[in-house]
């Protein structure tokens, strides 16, 4: 059993080591805070970028839906006109116009499908960015074991 003087010195040494460790942690704390703040800013930026991309894609999709509706209306108009023409060449010209517009509708529908897939991907990126942000927030809010009292 160490003498009372040696035991007191060991206790003092242990406390001094803890103090030095805490001082080092305090010195590093501003850098850690800046890093966390930068991570938060990056995550917010990623979320906002994903949100904007999703909105732009939704707007494009609505525009394509409008174009498809307009083209479908033209096909209906051409078919109505086709019934009232008396010359074969006019009938065939309207038939050609109908085919052309139907091809355009097909192309627009293909673009719409591509945009719908892109919207799904954008939603997934948005959800992933939000989930990452929430995970980081929870991690930041949880007690940090390295600062726990001994």
């Amino acid at each position: 059993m160490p003498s009372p003087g040696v035991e007191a010195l060991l206790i003092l040494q242990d406390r001094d080591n803890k103090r030095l460790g805490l001082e080092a942690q305090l010195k590093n704390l501003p850098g850690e805070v800046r890093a966390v703040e930068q991570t938060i800013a990056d995550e917010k930026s990623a979320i906002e970028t994903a949100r904007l991309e999703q909105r732009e894609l939704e707007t494009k999709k609505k525009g394509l839906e409008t174009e498809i509706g307009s083209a479908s209306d033209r096909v209906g108009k051409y078919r109505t006109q086709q019934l009232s023409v008396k010359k074969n060449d006019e009938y065939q010209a309207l038939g050609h116009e109908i085919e052309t517009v139907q091809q355009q509708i097909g192309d627009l529908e293909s673009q719409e499908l591509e945009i719908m897939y892109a919207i799904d991907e954008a939603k997934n990126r948005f959800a992933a960015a939000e989930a990452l942000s929430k995970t980081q927030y929870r991690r930041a809010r949880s007690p940090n074991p390295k600062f726990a009292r001994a």
Side-chain angles (χ1 to χ4, degrees):
M1 174 136 211
S3 70
V6 173
E7 187 175 335
L9 283 174
L10 289 173
I11 291 172
L12 181 62
Q13 182 184 16
D14 180 57
R15 290 184 181 164
D16 195 41
N17 284 338
K18 286 182 183 177
R19 179 188 58 83
L20 291 173
L22 290 173
E23 285 176 358
Q25 286 179 353
L26 284 173
K27 247 186 225 182
N28 294 333
L29 196 57
E32 291 177 12
V33 168
R34 279 192 299 276
V36 168
E37 287 173 347
Q38 183 61 45
T39 301
I40 290 170
D42 292 345
E43 290 170 359
K44 284 182 179 179
S45 175
I47 290 170
E48 190 58 31
T49 299
R51 181 179 289 134
L52 287 174
E53 180 185 10
Q54 185 177 345
R55 284 182 189 155
E56 288 174 7
L57 290 170
E58 291 284 349
T59 301
K60 283 183 181 179
K61 181 178 176 263
K62 293 287 182 193
L64 284 174
E65 288 173 350
T66 302
E67 286 184 54
I68 290 170
S70 174
S72 295
D73 290 345
R74 280 188 303 188
V75 167
K77 180 180 134 190
Y78 291 151
R79 287 181 195 244
T80 302
Q81 286 178 351
Q82 210 175 24
L83 295 174
S84 64
V85 296
K86 297 188 180 335
K87 295 182 180 177
N88 192 29
D89 57 339
E90 289 177 358
Y91 186 86
Q92 288 177 351
L94 285 171
H96 179 69
E97 283 297 317
I98 290 171
E99 289 175 18
T100 302
V101 174
Q102 286 177 332
Q103 179 63 40
Q104 290 173 347
I105 290 172
D107 293 343
L108 292 172
E109 287 174 342
S110 295
Q111 290 176 12
E112 184 180 26
L113 284 175
E114 290 173 12
I115 288 175
M116 289 170 70
Y117 287 129
I119 288 171
D120 287 343
E121 291 172 9
K123 284 180 181 179
N124 291 338
R125 282 191 298 275
F126 177 74
E130 274 194 326
L132 177 64
S133 179
K134 287 178 184 177
T135 301
Q136 295 289 0
Y137 177 77
R138 279 190 218 113
R139 200 175 293 152
R141 300 276 302 170
S142 70
N144 192 336
K146 93 177 181 186
F147 295 115
R149 290 188 177 176

